Amino acid sequence: MSPIASETRFRPGVFARLARAGTALAMTALLTSAATPARTQSTLPVESTSIVVGEAHLPTDPLAMAIARELSVNTTVMLDAAINAGSEDELELGIQGFYQGRVFQPLWVSEQGLNPHGEMLLAAFERAGEHALDPQDYAPDRLRDLAGAARDTAALAELEVAISNTFVIYANHLTAGRVKPNEVNRSLNLFPKAPDPSVVLEYVESSEDFATAIDGLSPNTPNYARLKTALADYRAKEAAGGFTPVPEGETLKPGMTDARLDTLRQRLAEQDLFSPGSHSGAVYDGALVEAVKLFQERHGLEVDGIIGKATLAEINVPISTRIGQMELNMERRRWMPDDLGARYVFVNLADQNLKVVEDDKTVHTTRVVVGKPFHATPVFSDEMTYAEVNPYWTVPYSIATTEYLPMLQRDPGALQGKNIRVFSGNREIDPWSVAWSSYSRASFPFTLRQDPGEGNALGRIKFMFPNKFNIYIHDTPSKSLFSRAQRSFSHGCIRAEAPFDLGEALLGPDGWTKAKLETVRDSGERRVIKLSKPLPVHLTYLTAWVNKDGSVHFRADIYERDKVLAKAIAQLRPANL
């Protein structure tokens, strides 16, 4: 796995400060933990004028003493909910390190009860739904009950520590998500990690604008912000009545008359796709057809204006389902790093589209074919390092043994017409000299390799970002599949439409134009072209997103990853403070 995929996710600007603050605090925690093992209760005699915890000296003010006592016995109340953080001991030390570094002074309370920071944080817990999180996971009602009952230093200390514990979980969920992607689904090779608790606590404590600091824990990207805004809008639409279902009926084509058009106009207006008054009557034409085409485009359907079964089914998806899609994809956005690179390739497998991005602007897009559900393309990030014109195709072992071995057993010359040759090591083998019937899927010692040419399964160019999954982007001789709305037909690799246009977009900085690449192609010679600078490639799976123009898009869950993620989140146990 490349550093792009495995590095800890930090917010630009926001977590730069966190990292600086964390250096000193981590040293404090390390020194203190060496003197005082985790979970060791400290002796805090009331009559003492100073209290020693390891080598850390506490002042005599009662609230700080009570916080130290509370931390010694109650620092891991709910830390098992910190899914993408360190171990429970590391979390405990992080919280203790923060308080030891500030000599156990409170952050959220004063002797009078909740301070303004504490009030703002509890309000943030109560509004967690804005981020598609469950407010009850942070038990704001219980914390408010504790605040209301806090009449002495012991109760205030309990409240202080409970809020800090809860905040660590909240920050963990906002920065890195509620579940571990790779444990939910092995095809999701993402490993987000939240920052150390002491770093987060120091960050908010030292921030000049506390409310902004809390909100800044979430992904600092326009994509996340737009989806958050759209989620609020769709929830408001749901509260206003949701989407009106359109009755079943015959396939509706432009020019036909239909009694359902009033309902259809209402339904599309509810999704802001149709302007009331721009169309009337019983004839399906004009602005109403254009609104349906817009709906089809934003839902990954054939854009033909015809309302058949597929389009009607999407129209009648309840708004609650769409809200659920948005919530799941906000979780996915929390798994992703904010900084994808100044220049990168972004493939959305659910959308079956690829884009090349430079300085936050999309400079090239193309349709792609992705893996069949049985050969689902994994989610991961890596770096493109070279392209190959007129490539060989080394047939994957699974394809060689499941598809081609039976053909060779029936006819040893079956692959010659496909320009596929047989090798044993580096030595070419005459297929007629092999007793193919004596080999099986479990005992196949040969390599099958297809020569470059028009019929090559990889087409005439491939783009390599070497990875353990053997996934890459390539041309294909099967061009007809790109005209389909749903394009999941490969064995896992990504087939690109107009690959030499893509080649110019990817290799242009190194002086390669489309014409220059096609000249190499036409020569028939195999040519490896190295990129002067590795190019980040991100394979993602997003079934809901919002474009810069504010348009909300949804896609079918072709790999049922929404279903798996929704189940994993539903099985999370509510936090038990």
Side-chain angles (χ1 to χ4, degrees):
M1 181 61 61
S2 75
I4 294 175
S6 60
E7 67 183 358
T8 299
R9 185 248 191 90
F10 286 104
R11 310 277 180 231
V14 170
F15 282 125
R17 289 178 61 196
L18 290 183
R20 291 195 297 270
T23 302
L25 286 169
M27 183 62 70
T28 301
L30 180 64
L31 292 173
T32 308
S33 63
T36 305
R39 302 175 190 252
T40 299
Q41 295 191 20
S42 303
T43 302
L44 301 173
V46 175
E47 65 275 9
S48 176
T49 57
S50 82
I51 300 169
V52 178
V53 178
E55 297 178 357
H57 292 268
L58 298 180
T60 57
D61 77 88
L63 183 53
M65 294 166 58
I67 289 172
R69 182 184 298 107
E70 183 70 18
L71 282 166
S72 72
V73 298
N74 195 19
T75 56
T76 56
V77 175
M78 59 176 291
L79 297 184
D80 58 345
I83 300 297
N84 290 309
S87 69
E88 194 172 274
D89 284 343
E90 290 172 334
L91 291 170
E92 180 180 347
L93 285 174
I95 294 173
Q96 289 179 339
F98 168 74
Y99 279 98
Q100 288 165 348
R102 60 189 284 112
V103 200
F104 297 95
Q105 293 300 308
L107 176 57
W108 315 111
V109 305
S110 68
E111 293 182 357
Q112 288 72 44
L114 279 177
N115 64 23
H117 284 183
E119 287 285 359
M120 281 189 277
L121 184 58
L122 262 61
F125 295 159
E126 291 164 343
R127 298 193 312 271
E130 295 175 1
H131 291 278
L133 300 174
D134 185 354
Q136 295 310 308
D137 285 349
Y138 316 106
D141 292 342
R142 179 178 181 275
L143 291 173
R144 289 208 176 274
D145 288 344
L146 283 176
R151 296 290 184 268
D152 55 35
T153 55
L156 288 169
E158 180 185 3
L159 176 62
E160 172 76 20
V161 173
I163 292 176
S164 286
N165 284 342
T166 308
F167 175 64
V168 167
I169 306 308
Y170 179 71
N172 177 269
H173 290 173
L174 272 183
T175 58
R178 289 167 290 175
V179 300
K180 292 183 178 180
N182 193 245
E183 291 185 3
V184 169
N185 188 327
R186 292 297 180 187
S187 66
L188 307 179
N189 291 272
L190 303 171
F191 304 92
K193 186 177 180 181
D196 183 89
S198 64
V199 175
V200 178
L201 287 163
E202 172 65 19
Y203 158 66
V204 296
E205 190 276 336
S206 61
S207 176
E208 295 179 1
D209 186 338
F210 184 78
T212 300
I214 294 297
D215 195 54
L217 294 169
S218 63
N220 187 24
T221 67
N223 291 303
Y224 184 87
R226 290 195 298 263
L227 191 55
K228 179 172 176 278
T229 298
L231 175 63
D233 179 53
Y234 267 58
R235 285 173 171 167
K237 292 181 187 298
E238 183 181 37
F243 292 157
T244 301
V246 177
E248 298 285 340
E250 65 177 322
T251 296
L252 183 57
K253 299 180 180 179
M256 294 176 62
T257 59
D258 197 296
R260 298 174 293 169
L261 295 194
D262 281 343
T263 304
L264 179 61
R265 284 187 282 261
Q266 179 181 348
R267 167 65 183 84
L268 295 173
E270 290 164 350
Q271 202 171 342
D272 303 320
L273 300 174
F274 173 78
S275 298
S278 63
H279 183 275
S280 61
V283 179
Y284 177 52
D285 59 7
L288 188 54
V289 172
E290 294 307 310
V292 169
K293 287 182 178 180
L294 190 58
F295 177 91
Q296 291 171 328
E297 176 196 342
R298 294 185 182 182
H299 293 76
L301 301 165
E302 298 286 352
V303 183
D304 54 15
I306 298 173
I307 304 179
K309 289 184 177 180
T311 295
L312 186 60
E314 288 296 307
I315 287 174
N316 285 333
V317 170
I319 194 170
S320 59
T321 300
R322 296 307 187 196
I323 289 172
Q325 279 185 268
M326 290 177 166
E327 292 171 343
L328 294 175
N329 285 277
M330 286 184 72
E331 176 77 358
R332 290 188 175 112
R333 288 288 184 184
R334 288 189 282 267
W335 297 340
M336 298 167 63
D338 289 349
D339 186 4
L340 298 177
R343 183 169 178 267
Y344 60 89
V345 177
F346 189 92
V347 181
N348 183 355
L349 303 173
D351 186 32
Q352 296 125 61
N353 269 281
L354 175 154
K355 62 181 181 180
V356 181
V357 180
E358 294 181 2
D359 298 324
D360 296 326
K361 295 181 180 179
T362 299
V363 297
H364 182 81
T365 61
T366 185
R367 289 186 165 202
V368 296
V369 171
V370 301
K372 306 171 186 178
F374 185 71
H375 297 285
T377 306
V379 170
F380 67 99
S381 296
D382 221 298
E383 293 182 329
M384 186 179 295
T385 55
Y386 70 95
E388 188 174 335
V389 183
N390 295 319
Y392 289 111
W393 179 45
T394 300
V395 182
Y397 186 86
S398 60
I399 298 176
T401 55
T402 59
E403 297 183 21
Y404 290 150
L405 178 57
M407 295 171 62
L408 289 166
Q409 289 172 337
R410 291 190 298 268
D411 176 10
L415 302 185
Q416 291 179 338
K418 299 178 180 292
N419 292 323
I420 295 177
R421 295 189 284 170
V422 181
F423 291 83
S424 177
N426 294 322
R427 182 169 60 91
E428 185 174 359
I429 302 296
D430 180 358
W432 292 94
S433 68
V434 178
W436 294 106
S437 60
S438 64
Y439 295 100
S440 67
R441 293 183 61 184
S443 61
F444 189 79
F446 305 104
T447 298
L448 305 182
R449 192 183 76 184
Q450 187 177 41
D451 291 335
E454 289 291 342
N456 187 284
L458 304 184
R460 304 301 294 272
I461 189 170
K462 67 177 181 178
F463 306 94
M464 301 298 292
F465 40 106
N467 55 82
K468 66 180 182 180
F469 311 103
N470 197 28
I471 298 295
Y472 44 90
I473 300 166
H474 64 88
D475 183 17
T476 176
S478 303
K479 305 294 187 181
S480 62
L481 296 177
F482 293 110
S483 64
R484 301 191 184 187
Q486 199 63 256
R487 299 182 297 278
S488 52
F489 300 106
S490 80
H491 284 85
C493 283
I494 299 163
R495 306 173 191 170
E497 188 178 29
F500 285 89
D501 291 315
L502 175 61
E504 182 174 62
L506 297 175
L507 304 172
D510 291 321
W512 287 90
T513 64
K514 178 182 178 182
K516 189 175 178 180
L517 289 169
E518 289 178 333
T519 298
V520 176
R521 175 199 66 189
D522 295 342
S523 74
E525 296 182 4
R526 176 174 170 267
R527 174 75 178 269
V528 174
I529 303 170
K530 293 184 178 180
L531 277 70
S532 59
K533 184 178 180 181
L535 182 63
V537 178
H538 305 284
L539 305 189
T540 65
Y541 188 83
L542 300 170
T543 58
W545 71 92
V546 182
N547 282 343
K548 293 178 181 178
D549 61 4
S551 59
V552 183
H553 293 253
F554 299 97
R555 291 297 182 270
D557 184 20
I558 57 172
Y559 295 157
E560 295 192 341
R561 289 174 179 168
D562 277 4
K563 182 179 178 180
V564 172
L565 178 56
K567 182 179 179 181
I569 291 175
Q571 290 176 339
L572 292 175
R573 294 181 177 178
N576 182 20
L577 279 170

